[in-house]
Amino acid sequence: MSERRVALVTGASRGIGRGIAEALGAAGWAVVVNYHSSPTAAEECAAAIDAAGGASLLVQADIANLADHDRLLALTLERFGRVDLLVNNAGVAPTVRTDLLQATPESFDRVMGINLRGPYFLTQRVAQAMVAGLDPSQPAPQIINIGSVSAYAASTFRGEYCLSKAALGMMTALFADRLAEHGIRVYEIRPGVIESDMTGPVKAKYDQLIADGLSPIRRWGTPGDIAAAVLAIADGAFPFSTGLILDVDGGFHVRRL
Ligand code: NAP
């Protein structure tokens, strides 16, 4: 059994997930670095965690493939013996941004599979293990879902992405309600526009929107901004909150006139 607290971060090879995994590692956590198709980047993340004084375990798994979930959890428990924090971060945008009137069922199924169906069943599986492993001498485990402002902001060129994030909001509420009796708290972080490979293709567009005042705080967000919120939750900063949504978005969610 690991003396360290153990976090499982999905999609930790790049972007926001990598920022979260490295920050947890620097705070002394043992981190399971899940990745899908970027092994070199995932190895860099694991090396950074080890160098910063944390401990890492690399696990390749496709979050959309439910058959991979048992292996991901089994390897985690085999190495560390516990899971204190699940961060459902892995997510994708549509491969091609397509107008709502032309969008395809194939893209719908891909985005929903990775952003919603996979996390829903991974959370179910990990929550079972968390409940089975509850130890009254330890802080209760926690779960964090990485949602998006797209849960409520309509983008008609990526409708399936918006739908996946809107449903993730209900997933947060459902698991918060179900797991509260076990002391397990569930949170959602809603990033705004964050610098990563995901937003790379639309960088020029967002540069202009941000300069024009898209959000009250006129800068891009960084993976470090999201990691700071994860660390606060991980450290138990919100003991009487569950189902809480943290808007880490430069104030994007504020209605303005
Ligand atoms: P990113 O830079 O494109 O990174 C995506 C990560 O997810 C990669 O590590 C990738 O791993 C992993 N991933 C993709 N498909 C996977 C699968 N099937 N199984 C396991 N891992 C998978 O994206 P990001 O910007 O960091 O986004 C991370 C999360 O934040 C997503 O849920 C996204 O919706 C959300 N978000 C992002 C923004 C933004 O502005 N960037 C805003 C709001 C919300 P591999 O490279 O190994 O395949």
Side-chain angles (χ1 to χ4, degrees):
M1 175 79 75
S2 170
E3 291 294 310
R4 301 171 187 272
R5 290 182 294 168
V6 178
L8 195 175
V9 182
T10 68
S13 47
R14 295 183 290 116
I16 293 171
R18 181 165 173 174
I20 292 168
E22 292 188 4
L24 287 166
W29 285 64
V31 185
V32 179
V33 176
N34 160 250
Y35 69 99
H36 179 226
S37 54
S38 305
T40 306
E43 282 161 20
E44 288 168 6
C45 177
I49 289 167
D50 295 338
S56 65
L57 172 69
L58 268 180
V59 182
Q60 194 281 340
D62 178 356
I63 294 305
N65 182 0
L66 305 197
D68 281 4
H69 293 180
D70 277 347
R71 184 172 49 83
L72 175 58
L73 182 60
L75 289 170
T76 300
L77 295 177
E78 183 184 307
R79 171 72 185 275
F80 295 123
R82 55 193 274 192
V83 190
D84 300 274
L85 178 67
L86 168 65
V87 183
N88 285 308
N89 164 79
V92 291
T95 311
V96 182
R97 293 162 74 95
T98 309
D99 179 77
L100 197 58
L101 300 188
Q102 314 297 334
T104 65
E106 291 75 19
S107 180
F108 185 97
D109 291 346
R110 170 179 171 270
V111 170
M112 284 292 187
I114 298 170
N115 293 8
L116 180 67
R117 185 173 180 270
Y120 181 77
F121 286 104
L122 179 65
T123 302
Q124 180 193 69
R125 186 74 195 82
V126 172
Q128 290 167 358
M130 286 175 164
V131 170
L134 282 174
D135 176 350
S137 71
Q138 299 284 328
Q142 303 187 96
I143 296 169
I144 302 174
N145 298 322
I146 304 301
S148 171
V149 296
S150 296
Y152 58 83
S155 298
T156 56
F157 279 83
R158 50 187 180 119
E160 58 274 61
Y161 182 81
C162 297
L163 286 169
S164 73
K165 294 298 184 179
L168 194 74
M170 178 50 75
M171 182 180 130
T172 300
L174 287 166
F175 280 103
D177 186 21
R178 176 63 183 82
L179 295 174
E181 69 179 272
H182 301 291
I184 298 169
R185 300 187 301 275
V186 182
Y187 301 91
E188 178 170 330
I189 294 173
R190 286 195 175 157
V193 180
I194 309 293
E195 278 176 352
S196 76
D197 294 341
M198 184 180 278
T199 45
V202 284
K203 182 169 186 323
K205 173 186 165 185
Y206 281 121
D207 279 345
Q208 191 60 56
L209 286 171
I210 290 167
D212 291 344
L214 176 73
S215 51
I217 300 176
R218 294 190 186 195
R219 69 162 172 86
W220 282 78
T222 65
D225 290 318
I226 309 304
V230 169
L231 280 185
I233 295 169
D235 283 341
F238 305 100
F240 193 48
S241 301
T242 193
L244 178 70
I245 294 169
L246 282 90
D247 298 294
V248 185
D249 61 357
F252 175 88
H253 67 282
V254 176
R255 284 193 160 202
R256 292 180 289 166
L257 194 58

